[in-house]
Amino acid sequence: MDKILEAVVMSSYPNNVKQGLVRRVIEAAKQPMDSEQCWSMLELSTKLFLTGDTKYKREIGKEVLEVYGHYHPEEFEEFFNVRFLLSLLQEGYGPLGKRSHYVLDYIQLGLQFVLESPSANSIFNLLRIEVLRKVCERPSPKQCAKISKLLTQHPQCIPTGKHQILFCQQLIRCIGQFQCISEGEDDIMEFLEQVNKVSGLLQRIWRAQTSAILPSLKELFTIISSTEEQEAPSNALASVVQFVPLELMDGVIRNLTNDDSITDVQMMTAISRMIDWVSWPLGKNIDKWIIALLKGLAAVKKFSILIEVTLSKIEKVFSKLLYPIVREGALSVLQYMLLSFQHSHEAFHLLLPHIPRLVASLKKEDSNSATSSLEQLAELIHCMFFRFSGFPDLYEPVLEAVKALPIPNEDRIKHLLGQNAWTSQKNELACFYPRLASKSETGKIGLINLGNTCYMNSIIQSLFMASDFRHSVLNLAEGNSQPLMTKLQWLFAFLEHSQRPAISPESFLSASWPPWFTPGAQQDCSEYLKYLLDRLHEEEKTGKRIYQKLKESSFMSQAIEQHYLNKTLIEKMFGGKMITKIRCLKCLNVSSREEAFTDLSLAFPPPDRHVLSTGSASVLPVEEIGPQFIEPPGTSSQIMGSPWIKRKPHVSGDHAANIVPVETLGFQEPGNQATSLNSNAVGTDSAKDPLLAFGEQTCSPKDSRSVPDLINYFLSPEKLTAENKYHCEKCASLQDAEKVAELTEGPHYLILTLLRFSFDPRTMRRKKILDNVSIPLVLKLPVLVAPEESEDVWQRRKDRAAPGSSFVSVIYDLCSVVVHSGISSESGHYYCYSRECSDTIAHGQPRDGAQEPASDKQRRARRGCPVHEVGAESSRPHGEPSLNKDLMEAISKDNILYLQEQEKEARNRAAYISALPKSPLWWRDFDRDKDDDSSSGGCSPAAGGGGSGSFHGLVF
């Protein structure tokens, strides 16, 4: 029968004729026959299957083998023996030079018929050894795929024990040598399928034996980190990573980044090759592993590796956004690489020439993937514009390309930059080594305490958080002849763009130090603020102006415009005006004097004094407005310091009719009082949102006072009698009189000083008033409108007083609070709470050729009063000023220096730690900082006095 079958197969008959004859032979093979005949047919069918030169011949051989395996199992088992299989696997089948490529297919076919035979275990043992030997010989992708198919179908043949780990490692090495020779689409798809079969086998083994995963990954890293190989390993290794459980990621990355045996060159080689994997199609979680390793390197401060890898690979990653099949992973990696590379603009600028072409390509593609990627790319670009804002000309083509795409808000941008910076990555040893600590989670940068300089640091941070003032300072032109303002600009620029967790204000301290301050001693923060603002004001007033002239709206009178243009920056930001009137109680003559102020010093009323909360019909009525009126926050507020109290004498009598009440708009539920802050209500967590800090306490004690109470007391009439009698010019003698203050111009930022420090004549010492004071989140301040402004203002105001009133309400939102914690002025600690005071100014649209005033949507104040200059900023993304070149270079150099310092420090510590005995207690007293939290910034032993913390100054 074997001769007949062979003659039929080799004949020249048409295939349909052959098929009919073969079918008869196969049907006859299902009948009983002797062993010799069976053996002959098995030999012929094996020959046809393994050496047939056509697919037809191999199919006939396969069909005959299946029939004999099913109908003649004993003869098949005798033929399909261990010795025969060993010969096939080690020597092959067919003439030399033309060995069959179908041996593994043949074995897989035959195994199904011997699974229950006595020789099965012997065959399995043989195959466990032989498949290991095969993969060690580095077979082709096609042969590896056949091995994987065989072992997937017959897992009994997978090597076990130590051999299983070795098999996985050798299989990974095989994958590392895979290459797709052809560029044809069909060949590429076949190659991808082969790779997936091999990596799928690894996944199957890892699921059954998790102990094989880490040794496999170690071998993988050895391959990709090797610097000896002339040819880079195949990107097909990406298919291995996608099957590693993500729950192992943290441990694997931690081990890699803390392994001292891995050199920088090896690590750089490994991460570079992993980044190349973004081009591997259909790979899952590859981007997550790449980003995790980059973050791990940042956590251990290996910044030199990150810098070199980013600069060498970012353009390649960017180019992959053109291909939808790998776009998602490539975009994730690109986002992290750009958002983390914040010390220099170099990485972003490498992409500038390529962005317009990519944007155009994605728009043309018009798919969901392209649309989503465009929006994410635009967000990324605007983050870079915000971070490196000093190149408007260079950014022009990119701005043009993305102008129609959504622009993220500033909070979103700062959030992305804050969480992705290299210096924001947490180090597991940071709790033991404070110098390895990363930036604050808020993204803000601290100021180093130079020895009882917390008073200055708190003031600087509060001024920095006043966004309009900060932007104006950062926009200071070069060659301005204002040395102190220039130093403040540099300090603000470093607070905005430095990668350090904290910077030293030593240079600014030496320049702004009041000459009467004692070095190393605690000082009054409000006294320092007054001196600083006066210095800055006088410096500009002498003719060294820092800002371009404000473009005023056409409806403003020339006199008002000229008056405003003559103001200095300090006057524009913090300057207000008040008029003091004194009325002689004998002749009723009234004298008045107008004076400027940069803060209001608020004294505490005597214990028996109750400030009236209502006034006459001529002033604005008191209203309670809920939190819905707080948005958008316009004019910001801050709180500052404490000069010596000059107590206002008790006012008796019935002169309350002219009191100008201050309204509060509390962040409170109906029926609740304004927020109360008692002496121990606030801790030293400067990262806490002041809204939360204030909102956590909703009721104030009945005997507590509020900021509006103190302002109303400040504005209430004062009786001048006895030793304080007033010299009336009309009467030409000392007379009893009444003095009252009225605000005539509200500042852009309202600074309120609570006069908590007073002089006690009994003890001849200064003491601190520890009364509770509740602070509203929103304050409505009555301001007297000048006659020349009133008609224009009232036509534009929606929120106004009763008809005939000359007062308007200026609304302020709380921005910063400077707190003094301690029981006396000579000790304690200053710290501040601040929130971003967003610039809500809308750059007005032209109307009849004129610009709307800059205050159109700012601070809910009089529309006729411009508050700050925006003309130079109106065309810039997010209104961020461009820093001058020297300043940008200085920041970039310092950022690089900081990264180098951190890397050196981390390496030194790692080397030191590795040499220490492995005791669980060794770290407790290692290099403990002397100025930790318990020392309250190193101000004094009395600092942080528990129940004596108190809010000391407000800026609205």
Side-chain angles (χ1 to χ4, degrees):
M1 188 179 294
D2 58 299
K3 299 296 183 180
I4 298 173
L5 178 62
E6 185 175 12
V8 171
V9 171
M10 299 300 178
S11 70
S12 59
Y13 295 137
N15 285 344
N16 60 339
V17 176
K18 291 182 181 179
Q19 189 63 36
L21 297 174
V22 169
R23 182 55 48 198
R24 293 182 180 181
V25 174
I26 291 177
E27 289 299 323
K30 295 179 181 179
Q31 303 303 317
M33 61 180 62
D34 58 43
S35 297
E36 183 178 355
Q37 185 63 43
C38 286
W39 194 277
S40 299
M41 287 295 291
L42 287 171
E43 284 184 336
L44 175 60
S45 57
T46 298
K47 178 181 177 183
L48 290 174
F49 186 94
L50 291 175
T51 62
D53 54 1
T54 64
K55 184 177 180 181
Y56 174 74
K57 293 178 181 178
R58 293 194 297 272
E59 285 295 328
I60 291 177
K62 176 176 178 293
E63 194 171 356
V64 173
L65 283 170
E66 289 175 337
V67 169
Y68 277 85
H70 183 75
Y71 290 98
H72 306 281
E74 294 181 0
E75 289 77 5
F76 188 91
E77 179 182 346
E78 182 181 357
F79 178 83
F80 199 79
N81 58 64
V82 171
R83 180 176 298 179
F84 174 58
L85 295 181
L86 180 63
S87 173
L88 287 177
L89 291 168
Q90 292 189 353
E91 301 175 8
Y93 190 95
L96 290 176
K98 292 185 179 181
R99 295 297 191 187
S100 173
H101 300 294
Y102 302 100
V103 170
L104 292 173
D105 305 87
Y106 177 82
I107 293 175
Q108 180 181 342
L109 174 65
L111 276 177
Q112 59 183 312
F113 302 111
V114 297
L115 294 178
E116 305 297 329
S117 69
S119 62
N121 287 332
S122 299
I123 294 175
F124 295 155
N125 289 333
L126 170 68
L127 291 176
R128 293 187 191 113
I129 297 173
E130 286 301 307
V131 293
L132 176 59
R133 182 185 62 80
K134 281 286 186 182
V135 297
C136 290
E137 294 175 352
R138 306 290 180 265
S140 66
K142 189 172 184 179
Q143 290 300 308
C144 270
K146 289 182 177 182
I147 293 175
S148 301
K149 184 178 179 181
L150 168 66
L151 298 184
T152 300
Q153 186 171 345
H154 302 289
Q156 309 94 319
C157 304
I158 297 176
T160 58
K162 294 182 179 180
H163 287 168
Q164 185 178 86
I165 293 177
L166 180 60
F167 175 77
C168 291
Q169 291 174 329
Q170 294 301 317
L171 199 59
I172 290 173
R173 286 204 168 268
C174 288
I175 298 175
Q177 294 187 355
F178 286 178
Q179 297 295 335
C180 183
I181 301 175
S182 174
E183 295 183 358
E185 183 176 345
D186 292 340
D187 293 332
I188 292 176
M189 295 303 298
E190 183 182 5
F191 174 74
L192 293 176
E193 184 179 356
Q194 292 165 355
V195 174
N196 284 337
K197 285 182 180 179
V198 179
S199 57
L201 175 62
L202 283 171
Q203 181 191 27
R204 183 186 182 96
I205 295 174
W206 290 345
R207 281 179 177 175
Q209 195 69 35
T210 56
S211 61
I213 299 177
L214 293 181
S216 300
L217 291 182
K218 184 177 180 181
E219 188 69 17
L220 173 64
F221 187 82
T222 301
I223 295 170
I224 63 175
S225 64
S226 175
T227 57
E228 298 176 357
E229 302 290 338
Q230 294 183 350
E231 186 175 352
S234 172
N235 287 343
L237 288 170
S239 64
V240 176
V241 176
Q242 66 179 333
F243 294 123
V244 180
L246 292 180
E247 55 266 25
L248 297 179
M249 181 182 289
D250 289 343
V252 170
I253 297 300
R254 190 183 306 115
N255 289 337
L256 283 178
T257 54
N258 289 281
D259 190 341
D260 294 335
S261 65
I262 301 175
T263 66
D264 285 0
V265 175
Q266 289 175 322
M267 183 62 75
M268 190 154 38
T269 302
I271 188 62
S272 295
R273 289 170 173 170
M274 286 182 66
I275 291 174
D276 290 339
W277 293 351
V278 297
S279 61
W280 183 255
L282 307 178
K284 298 179 181 179
N285 301 328
I286 296 171
D287 55 327
K288 294 182 176 64
W289 281 94
I290 295 172
I291 293 171
L293 183 52
L294 291 172
K295 287 184 176 180
L297 290 172
V300 296
K301 315 298 181 185
K302 294 186 177 180
F303 302 121
S304 58
I305 297 175
L306 291 169
I307 291 173
E308 187 165 343
V309 167
T310 301
L311 294 178
S312 64
K313 291 295 182 180
I314 195 166
E315 289 179 279
K316 184 172 184 178
V317 173
F318 184 84
S319 68
K320 301 305 175 185
L321 300 183
L322 290 168
Y323 308 104
I325 197 170
V326 297
R327 181 177 293 152
E328 183 179 356
L331 184 57
S332 296
V333 175
L334 177 71
Q335 285 174 323
Y336 179 76
M337 292 176 80
L338 270 184
L339 291 172
S340 63
F341 201 92
Q342 295 186 28
H343 66 281
S344 168
H345 57 262
E346 193 174 358
F348 177 52
H349 285 192
L350 286 174
L351 303 181
L352 292 180
H354 312 297
I355 292 176
R357 182 174 68 90
L358 175 66
V359 171
S361 177
L362 292 177
K363 288 181 178 179
K364 185 177 180 181
E365 182 180 316
D366 192 26
S367 66
N368 291 335
S369 170
T371 301
S372 174
S373 298
L374 271 174
E375 293 176 355
Q376 295 179 65
L377 183 62
E379 181 178 70
L380 187 58
I381 290 170
H382 282 289
C383 286
M384 295 298 99
F385 285 160
F386 183 92
R387 184 65 185 84
F388 309 111
S389 58
F391 306 89
D393 296 336
L394 199 58
Y395 295 160
E396 192 62 35
V398 178
L399 275 170
E400 180 65 24
V402 300
K403 66 180 180 181
L405 298 173
I407 300 177
N409 60 46
E410 190 168 320
D411 289 340
R412 169 66 175 169
I413 289 175
K414 290 183 176 180
H415 171 72
L416 290 173
L417 292 173
Q419 72 176 8
N420 288 289
W422 288 338
T423 49
S424 299
Q425 306 308 320
K426 301 299 182 185
N427 189 307
E428 61 179 351
L429 300 179
C431 56
F432 305 125
Y433 314 116
R435 292 188 186 89
L436 289 181
S438 55
K439 290 177 68 173
S440 164
E441 293 180 356
T442 65
K444 302 300 179 185
I445 297 170
L447 291 170
I448 296 173
N449 195 315
L450 302 175
N452 285 334
T453 58
C454 54
Y455 66 92
M456 179 192 74
N457 291 354
S458 299
I459 293 297
I460 296 301
Q461 293 284 24
S462 294
L463 291 176
F464 176 79
M465 293 298 289
S467 57
D468 294 338
F469 178 65
R470 178 177 76 243
H471 289 171
S472 297
V473 172
L474 291 175
N475 205 42
L476 181 67
E478 294 183 82
N480 54 79
S481 301
Q482 298 179 73
L484 184 57
M485 186 66 84
T486 299
K487 287 186 178 293
L488 182 62
Q489 181 195 39
W490 279 61
L491 185 58
F492 277 8
F494 272 81
L495 283 173
E496 181 81 19
H497 298 292
S498 178
Q499 293 297 296
R500 296 178 183 272
I503 59 175
S504 171
E506 184 175 4
S507 176
F508 187 77
L509 175 64
S510 62
S512 63
W513 180 274
W516 61 89
F517 275 16
T518 303
Q522 179 65 288
Q523 305 294 341
D524 190 328
C525 73
S526 65
E527 186 178 4
Y528 173 78
L529 175 62
K530 288 179 181 291
Y531 176 79
L532 174 62
L533 296 183
D534 287 344
R535 279 276 308 276
L536 295 172
H537 168 69
E538 291 299 327
E539 194 176 71
E540 182 179 353
K541 192 176 179 181
T542 58
K544 316 307 190 281
R545 300 187 64 86
I546 66 169
Y547 220 48
Q548 298 177 354
K549 291 186 176 181
L550 184 65
K551 296 181 179 179
E552 295 297 333
S553 299
S554 59
F555 60 79
M556 293 188 65
S557 67
Q558 185 175 358
I560 296 177
E561 181 176 356
Q562 188 61 34
H563 166 75
Y564 191 78
L565 287 176
N566 288 333
K567 288 186 175 183
T568 64
L569 177 62
I570 299 303
E571 289 176 311
K572 295 173 187 175
M573 292 291 120
F574 307 104
K577 288 187 178 180
M578 69 172 64
I579 186 169
T580 303
K581 300 177 180 179
I582 302 179
R583 183 179 66 168
C584 176
L585 296 181
K586 181 179 181 181
C587 68
L588 301 182
N589 180 61
V590 178
S591 63
S592 62
R593 182 183 75 254
E594 188 177 53
E595 56 185 343
F597 68 88
T598 54
D599 76 314
L600 297 180
S601 299
L602 305 180
F604 284 74
D608 56 346
R609 170 65 188 265
H610 299 284
V611 180
L612 296 180
S613 60
T614 60
S616 66
S618 63
V619 298
L620 295 176
V622 176
E623 300 175 4
E624 290 293 335
I625 302 179
Q628 67 272 17
F629 287 87
I630 294 178
E631 298 179 356
T635 298
S636 307
S637 60
Q638 307 177 3
I639 294 190
M640 307 290 179
S642 59
W644 295 107
I645 291 181
K646 294 183 180 178
R647 292 227 178 196
K648 184 177 285 191
H650 174 65
V651 179
S652 59
D654 55 356
H655 298 287
N658 294 326
I659 292 179
V660 181
V662 176
E663 305 177 38
T664 63
L665 293 76
F667 188 80
Q668 53 189 310
E669 297 295 331
N672 288 346
Q673 300 181 14
T675 301
S676 171
L677 291 163
N678 57 31
S679 59
N680 60 357
V682 180
T684 58
D685 182 7
S686 59
K688 192 171 184 179
D689 189 324
L691 281 174
L692 298 178
F694 301 153
E696 286 171 356
Q697 303 178 37
T698 56
C699 296
S700 58
K702 293 182 179 179
D703 59 349
S704 69
R705 300 189 183 275
S706 67
V707 168
D709 289 339
L710 301 185
I711 300 178
N712 281 327
Y713 178 56
F714 177 85
L715 298 175
S716 65
E718 177 183 356
K719 198 73 171 286
L720 303 178
T721 60
E723 296 180 356
N724 290 329
K725 282 188 175 183
Y726 165 68
H727 185 274
C728 177
E729 294 182 358
K730 187 173 182 180
C731 298
S733 61
L734 293 174
Q735 297 293 337
D736 289 349
E738 186 179 65
K739 182 173 71 172
V740 68
E742 295 175 338
L743 303 178
T744 58
E745 184 178 320
H748 184 47
Y749 289 102
L750 174 63
I751 302 176
L752 302 177
T753 300
L754 308 189
L755 300 176
R756 286 193 178 273
F757 295 146
S758 65
F759 184 77
D760 189 345
R762 294 179 304 165
T763 61
M764 302 300 290
R765 297 182 62 184
R766 292 183 291 180
K767 70 174 185 178
K768 181 177 179 180
I769 300 174
L770 301 177
D771 294 1
N772 293 336
V773 177
S774 61
I775 304 171
L777 294 176
V778 183
L779 184 71
K780 182 184 287 187
L781 194 70
V783 176
L784 184 66
V785 178
E788 62 269 18
E789 298 180 50
S790 57
E791 180 180 356
D792 182 69
V793 171
W794 289 120
Q795 288 177 354
R796 292 169 172 78
R797 286 195 53 81
K798 295 179 181 178
D799 178 17
R800 61 186 186 184
S805 172
S806 58
F807 286 92
V808 297
S809 292
V810 180
I811 301 177
Y812 294 92
D813 295 282
L814 186 64
C815 173
S816 298
V817 180
V818 173
V819 185
H820 177 265
S821 174
I823 59 175
S824 74
S825 61
E826 290 84 8
S827 63
H829 180 50
Y830 285 104
Y831 54 94
C832 76
Y833 286 89
S834 292
R835 57 175 172 168
E836 189 69 36
C837 302
S838 302
D839 181 5
T840 57
I841 290 178
H843 305 305
Q845 299 298 321
R847 186 184 64 182
D848 297 331
Q851 290 282 344
E852 286 287 338
S855 60
D856 183 47
K857 293 186 179 179
Q858 176 75 346
R859 80 169 188 179
R860 297 177 252 177
R862 291 176 293 170
R863 295 184 59 172
C865 295
V867 292
H868 84 307
E869 301 145 2
V870 296
E873 301 300 326
S874 60
S875 63
R876 293 202 46 74
H878 310 287
E880 283 299 305
S882 298
L883 303 181
N884 65 68
K885 184 178 180 181
D886 291 342
L887 183 50
M888 290 194 64
E889 289 182 353
I891 294 172
S892 180
K893 288 180 180 178
D894 185 71
N895 284 339
I896 294 174
L897 177 62
Y898 169 67
L899 296 180
Q900 292 172 344
E901 292 170 352
Q902 287 286 287
E903 183 166 3
K904 182 178 180 181
E905 179 79 9
R907 290 177 185 275
N908 290 341
R909 290 183 183 275
Y912 180 78
I913 292 169
S914 63
L916 292 174
K918 305 302 181 183
S919 167
L921 304 176
W922 65 267
W923 63 77
R924 290 191 174 179
D925 296 316
F926 182 77
D927 198 22
R928 186 181 182 88
D929 272 14
K930 297 180 180 178
D931 54 346
D932 58 8
D933 292 341
S934 62
S935 65
S936 294
C939 277
S940 78
S948 59
S950 55
F951 285 86
H952 200 46
L954 304 150
V955 181
F956 281 84

